[in-house]
Amino acid sequence: MQRVFSGVQPSGDFHLGNYIGAFRQWVADQESHEAFYCVVDLHALTEEIDPAYLRQKTFEAARNLLAVGLDPEVSTIFVQSQVPEHPRLTWLLECTATMGELRRMTQFKAKGEGRGQEGVRVGVFAYPVLMAADILLYQANRVPVGDDQRQHLELARELAQRFNNRYGELFVVPEAAVPAVGARVMDLQHPGRKMSKSVESPLGTIAMLDDPGEIERKVKKAVTDTDGEMRYTPEEKPGLANLLALLAVATGRKPDEVANHYTRYGDLKRDLAEALVEMLRPVRERAAALGAEPGRVEEVLRAGAERAHSIASVTYARAAEAVGLLG
Ligand code: TYM
């Protein structure tokens, strides 16, 4: 059976972008692959984060992964820092990667903007290498992610190939799996930028566990344009295109088909709000049910870390031996 691996940061509330760009694929892939899904708490340390908040969000993230429909009987769900091979393999890969290739990462460049790179943490710079280690430790064939992670996946492939060329065939070279529609869900208030966990745009971000009233309010207030023409043209009409893509995903159609179906933005927004409420209803219900039994999440994470460690420790030991460490 082929392996799938993916991860999510516990740095804020999960949102519609995470759900559509990533989690839906994760749930589908667990049926056909041996699946490993990771709450990447070490990645969350690259930005300032309160320790108690991180602890709480890590636990909540794991609970919400169960709520989206991941089945711990078939998927391994775990927390990155509980498997010590992640930082250990990162070091070996950092000694494989170059400054030049990390400097080219758009996320690093974006973080450097404004404050200058002098003040950017080394963790932000090295972050894509940790991500490569996450994936390569599990010999994953497939990595379901949103569009913003494509470049990081390219780096993971490159590092795997370079390591294999130098030390022998150790790593599977992973492939990114990016959905055709919904790979880049945009902020509802600022359709030029992607929806994100940062709290800067509460009205532009639909949290995965928002209640129906909030979803409706945010969709109603979503920024579109004034010409009123119903067309799916992301470059020209980013706000409208985002709404069309969301309704397409939520109802299993193509964005163009959805556009042909409507003449008025108001009708589109009404149906979109309803479709999103329905799509997220089971997630909200499962999250509420799991809230009543925290012991279950703890148990899933304990078993997940054990299983993940049993795979990661074998890969790491082989890599360490290959580079000449005594082990
Ligand atoms: P993170 O936590 O930012 O996001 C988790 C997943 O959600 C996707 N995503 C989106 N998709 C569509 N539209 C959006 N607006 C949107 N925002 C986020 C992301 O593409 C991602 O798939 N570095 C990663 C986490 C990570 C990882 C890994 C992923 C660490 N190690 C190994 C895959 C494999 C991140 O920060 O994702």
Side-chain angles (χ1 to χ4, degrees):
M1 218 188 214
Q2 294 228 314
R3 290 226 176 106
V4 59
F5 181 96
S6 202
V8 60
Q9 295 199 42
S11 42
D13 291 335
F14 290 173
H15 54 75
L16 195 58
N18 299 132
Y19 184 74
I20 287 178
F23 303 153
R24 277 166 53 109
Q25 282 62 244
W26 297 15
V27 172
D29 285 345
Q30 71 178 347
E31 305 300 333
S32 48
H33 290 71
E34 194 183 348
F36 294 84
Y37 298 123
C38 186
V39 178
V40 293
D41 56 346
L42 297 174
H43 278 93
L45 289 176
T46 57
E47 292 287 317
E48 178 53 38
I49 188 163
D50 175 71
Y53 179 79
L54 175 60
R55 212 169 286 123
Q56 180 210 326
K57 284 290 168 190
T58 300
F59 187 79
E60 209 178 287
R63 183 201 67 193
N64 290 342
L65 289 184
L66 297 178
V68 300
L70 294 180
D71 175 0
E73 298 293 320
V74 295
S75 291
T76 300
I77 299 165
F78 70 103
V79 173
Q80 188 183 33
S81 66
Q82 294 185 329
V83 180
E85 283 76 16
H86 289 248
R88 296 178 82 189
L89 183 63
T90 299
W91 180 252
L92 302 191
L93 294 177
E94 279 174 351
C95 295
T96 306
T98 67
M99 297 281 286
E101 59 197 351
L102 292 185
R103 224 183 262 129
R104 283 194 291 276
M105 294 290 127
T106 46
Q107 278 198 359
F108 168 67
K109 287 198 274 190
K111 295 248 161 82
E113 263 168 28
R115 29 180 171 156
Q117 288 178 355
E118 287 301 301
V120 177
R121 294 179 183 192
V122 175
V124 173
F125 184 62
Y127 155 121
V129 186
L130 176 58
M131 178 162 160
D134 297 340
I135 299 165
L136 301 186
L137 275 174
Y138 299 90
Q139 307 288 11
N141 310 87
R142 177 180 167 88
V143 185
V145 284
D147 182 67
D148 61 338
Q149 299 300 321
R150 257 184 222 274
Q151 197 187 25
H152 294 156
L153 253 293
E154 274 309 311
L155 179 75
R157 289 169 58 82
E158 175 60 35
L159 296 182
Q161 278 159 348
R162 196 175 304 157
F163 203 96
N164 287 350
N165 287 341
R166 173 67 181 84
Y167 299 110
E169 289 298 311
L170 273 140
F171 297 123
V172 168
V173 180
E175 301 252 355
V178 179
V181 183
R184 198 173 184 81
V185 174
M186 307 310 273
D187 185 293
L188 299 180
Q189 288 296 311
H190 307 277
R193 65 184 199 215
K194 68 175 185 194
M195 192 177 281
S196 80
K197 291 193 202 87
S198 68
V199 287
E200 282 160 34
S201 178
L203 207 54
T205 306
I206 293 184
M208 199 172 77
L209 299 179
D210 270 351
D211 63 44
E214 272 168 308
I215 295 178
E216 218 170 285
R217 185 169 71 92
K218 291 175 185 176
V219 170
K220 208 175 265 176
K221 287 197 187 301
V223 169
T224 49
D225 51 62
T226 48
D227 73 19
E229 271 180 53
M230 193 65 73
R231 275 185 286 123
Y232 181 67
T233 45
E235 301 283 307
E236 255 180 84
K237 296 161 84 77
L240 178 66
N242 194 36
L243 302 183
L244 290 167
L246 288 173
L247 187 53
V249 170
T251 56
R253 289 179 288 174
K254 295 210 160 63
D256 281 326
E257 273 175 63
V258 176
N260 289 338
H261 201 79
Y262 292 94
T263 48
R264 298 209 323 240
Y265 291 179
D267 296 341
L268 170 71
K269 285 182 169 181
R270 184 200 59 220
D271 287 3
L272 174 61
E274 200 181 304
L276 292 178
V277 166
E278 284 317 307
M279 182 178 77
L280 294 172
R281 184 185 304 283
V283 180
R284 211 166 36 245
E285 287 174 357
R286 278 192 293 258
L290 284 160
E293 45 170 347
R296 177 157 151 74
V297 179
E298 273 166 32
E299 175 51 29
V300 165
L301 290 182
R302 201 195 49 70
E306 207 172 286
R307 163 105 183 104
H309 183 244
S310 74
I311 309 281
S313 58
V314 173
T315 309
Y316 176 74
R318 289 181 58 210
E321 194 195 347
V323 303
L325 303 181
L326 292 187

